[in-house]
Amino acid sequence: MTTRLLVTGGAGFIGSHYVRTLLGPGGPPDVVVTVLDALTYAGNPANLDPVRDDPRLVFIPGDICDAPLVDQVMAGHDQVVHFAAESHVDRSLLDASAFVRTNAGGTQTLLDAALRHGVAPFVQVSTDEVYGSAERDAWSEDEPLRPNSPYSASKASADLLALAQHVSHGLDVRVTRCANNYGPYQYPEKLIPRFATLLLDGNKVPLYGDGLHVREWLHVDDHVRAIEAVRARGRAGRVYNIGGTALTNRELVGLLLKECDAEWDSVEYVEDRKGHDRRYALDSSRISRELGFTPATDLSTGLAATLDWYRAHRSWWEPIVVRRARQA
Ligand code: NAD
C-alpha cells in the first residue's frame, strides 16, 4: 500500500536531503511525498531540483502556522515528518519572535491537524541543543531539558508539545534529537558551509570565543537514515538521540583549513556568542540498540566530500553569499 507522507520544511537543508533520498534509487517503495514549505530565506526550491519532475512529489508553498491550509493538506496524508523550523541560533538572539511562532506555534498547528485526521506516526525532528550544556556526562533521552538560546527553547517547546499530544491524546509521536549536521545544500550561515565558502573565496573566518566549545557532527546522510529508521520502526512516544563525532570548534576549523589549503592566519577570534553552550554530548545507545542505527560516514570523508560539493556548486551558494553581504 502506498504511504502518503507529508514532509514539512522539505526545501531546507535536511528536509530536502530527506526527500531526495526517499525518492532516490535506495528509497522505500510505494511512498509519495508532499512538501509543505513557506520558502523563508533558508528554503530553496533548487534544493529539490534533482527530484523536481518525479511524479511522486508534490510541492505546496505554505506556512505551517496557517491552520486552515495545514488542515486541508494534512487530510490527504498517512504520516508526517516535521522539519520546518527557524533553525539558526544567531538569528534567534536578534529576534526570537519567528522562532516561537514557527517552532512552537507551527508545531502545535500540525499536531492538532494530525490528531484530527489520524495522521501518524508524526516524527518531530529536533536537536541536541534542547538539553543545554553538558558539563560532565553524555545526555540520555531522559535528561531534563535546559535550553539556553531562544532557538533551543523554542525547539524544546515543540518537543514537549509533541510528547504531550501523545500522552494526552494518544497520537503516535516520535521525537529525534540530532547533533549538528553537515553536508551539501546547507545554507551558508551555519558554521561549516559559512567557513567553507569564506575560505574558498580566500577570506578570513570568525571563530567564537576561545574556540573550545565542543559539538558533535553528523553527515546529513546519516541523519536522514536515522529519521527513516524512526519513522519505519520507532515506538510511539519515544525520543531518540542521534549523535556524531565530537570535537572542539577549533579542531573542526583546523580540518576545514586543511581541506581548503589555508593557514591559521585565516582565523579571526571574535567575541563569544551570548549564552553559548560549552559542550554538547549525546548518549545515542538507544537508537543503536533498538533500531540498529549507527552512522556510516566518518567525519574526514564526509567533510572532504562536502567541501568538494561546495567547490563544484558555486552557482548554488554565490547568490546567497552576495545577498547576505548586501543585507549586512
Ligand atoms: P533549514 O533552515 O535549512 O530549513 C528549514 C526549512 O523550513 C526551510 O525550507 C524553510 O523555508 C522552512 N520553514 C521555516 N519556517 C516555516 C514555516 N513557518 N512554515 C513552513 N516552512 C517553514 O533547517 P535545517 O538545518 O534543514 O533543519 C531542519 C530541522 O532539523 C529543524 O527542525 C532543525 O531544528 C532540525 N535540526 C537541525 C540540525 C542542523 O544541524 N542543521 C541539527 C539537528 C536538528
Side-chain angles (χ1 to χ4, degrees):
M1 210 175 78
T2 299
T3 303
R4 298 164 303 170
L5 197 59
L6 176 60
V7 177
T8 71
F13 164 48
I14 307 170
S16 69
H17 203 86
Y18 182 69
V19 172
R20 292 191 307 271
T21 306
L22 279 187
L23 300 181
D30 299 335
V31 168
V32 294
V33 176
T34 302
V35 168
L36 176 63
D37 195 299
L39 297 178
T40 66
Y41 76 95
N44 186 345
N47 295 357
L48 291 169
D49 277 353
V51 289
R52 166 112 6 247
D53 297 327
D54 192 312
R56 295 169 296 168
L57 175 67
V58 172
F59 183 84
I60 300 178
D63 190 332
I64 60 165
C65 304
D66 178 344
L69 173 70
V70 166
D71 190 70
Q72 191 193 332
V73 171
M74 190 67 75
H77 291 88
D78 303 307
Q79 302 180 357
V80 185
V81 182
H82 172 36
F83 294 94
E86 289 294 336
S87 69
H88 191 40
V89 175
D90 287 346
R91 286 178 187 259
S92 79
L93 294 167
L94 295 173
D95 180 0
S97 56
F99 289 74
V100 175
R101 178 183 176 277
T102 288
N103 299 2
T107 300
Q108 187 62 51
T109 302
L110 288 164
L111 288 164
D112 288 342
L115 183 66
R116 267 195 305 276
H117 295 285
V119 176
F122 183 113
V123 181
Q124 155 69 7
V125 178
S126 190
T127 163
D128 58 359
E129 303 195 25
V130 296
Y131 295 113
S133 203
E135 301 309 328
R136 297 182 311 278
D137 303 327
W139 299 300
S140 79
E141 290 83 352
D142 300 325
E143 192 74 18
L145 305 188
R146 296 190 187 88
N148 289 317
S149 72
Y151 163 67
S152 54
S154 67
K155 291 296 291 186
S157 307
D159 289 14
L160 295 176
L161 291 168
L163 292 168
Q165 198 84 343
H166 170 67
V167 175
S168 301
H169 300 295
L171 187 72
D172 178 346
V173 167
R174 306 168 190 184
V175 176
T176 61
R177 294 191 181 135
C178 190
N180 282 3
N181 282 215
Y182 68 94
Y185 296 98
Q186 187 170 26
Y187 191 85
E189 66 184 350
K190 306 279 169 55
L191 194 156
I192 289 180
R194 179 154 183 236
F195 282 23
T197 52
L198 283 168
L199 291 169
L200 290 176
D201 275 347
N203 294 316
K204 286 186 186 271
V205 297
L207 182 55
Y208 279 138
D210 59 8
L212 296 180
H213 303 81
V214 177
R215 296 293 182 267
E216 293 188 20
W217 294 92
L218 187 74
H219 193 276
V220 64
D221 272 347
D222 283 321
H223 188 188
V224 158
R225 279 198 308 112
I227 289 169
E228 259 308 89
V230 170
R231 181 183 74 86
R233 293 177 279 113
R235 276 170 43 192
R238 203 116 172 107
V239 178
Y240 297 92
N241 287 346
I242 311 167
T245 304
L247 68 179
T248 64
N249 287 345
R250 219 184 122 77
E251 288 168 329
L252 177 66
V253 169
L255 296 177
L256 290 172
L257 291 173
K258 207 164 137 209
E259 279 297 330
C260 296
D261 288 326
E263 301 296 331
W264 276 98
D265 60 8
S266 299
V267 178
E268 243 169 11
Y269 284 88
V270 297
E271 189 185 338
D272 205 357
R273 173 191 266 172
K274 287 179 188 160
H276 204 177
D277 288 327
R278 197 68 183 161
R279 173 175 174 258
Y280 295 152
L282 285 178
D283 172 352
S284 304
S285 54
R286 173 180 289 172
I287 194 166
S288 146
R289 193 175 58 246
E290 295 183 7
L291 305 182
F293 169 80
T294 46
T297 307
D298 74 84
L299 186 66
S300 52
T301 312
L303 264 188
T306 301
L307 264 296
D308 283 346
W309 189 88
Y310 281 92
R311 273 189 203 96
H313 290 81
R314 276 185 171 271
S315 60
W316 182 86
W317 57 265
E318 270 178 348
I320 301 175
V321 168
V322 169
R323 200 163 56 239
R324 275 170 57 80
R326 265 200 227 113
Q327 287 162 354

